[in-house]
Amino acid sequence: MSDVRAELREQFLDAFDGADYPVESQMDLVPVLPDGPTTTFEAGDVRVTAMELASKLGGEQEFPYESADELVDDILDGLEAKGLI
């Protein structure tokens, strides 16, 4: 796993672990984000807000998610598929 992916994984898990799973939509995640949709995740040269994640990966995500690990893996896979990490 690349350093950027590993660092983002840790940040995403910290942010999304507090959600009430299963989560049915992106809106279920907003309350657990410290700065809501403007929460920013940074690793290496990658900088992305929660709002950008939602807009760039909306079509890639398959809700519902049963756990933070499942959600985060899907986010990271989507970022890789789009060439963003």
Side-chain angles (χ1 to χ4, degrees):
M1 182 181 310
S2 74
D3 289 341
V4 169
R5 184 179 171 111
E7 193 172 329
L8 286 173
R9 179 176 178 70
E10 184 176 322
Q11 291 177 40
F12 292 152
L13 284 173
D14 286 345
F16 298 126
D17 195 43
D20 290 326
Y21 289 89
V23 292
E24 301 291 329
S25 73
Q26 295 171 344
M27 294 308 295
D28 292 342
L29 301 168
V30 174
V32 300
L33 296 170
D35 295 322
T38 61
T39 299
T40 303
F41 304 96
E42 296 182 66
D45 293 339
V46 177
R47 183 176 194 273
V48 63
T49 66
M51 187 179 303
E52 290 170 325
L53 286 176
S55 68
K56 292 178 181 181
L57 301 179
E60 304 284 325
Q61 294 181 303
E62 295 181 25
F63 287 91
Y65 289 99
E66 300 294 326
S67 70
D69 283 319
E70 184 182 343
L71 170 65
V72 169
D73 287 344
D74 210 28
I75 291 171
L76 292 168
D77 289 347
L79 288 171
E80 274 190 351
K82 295 204 177 270
L84 300 171
I85 59 172

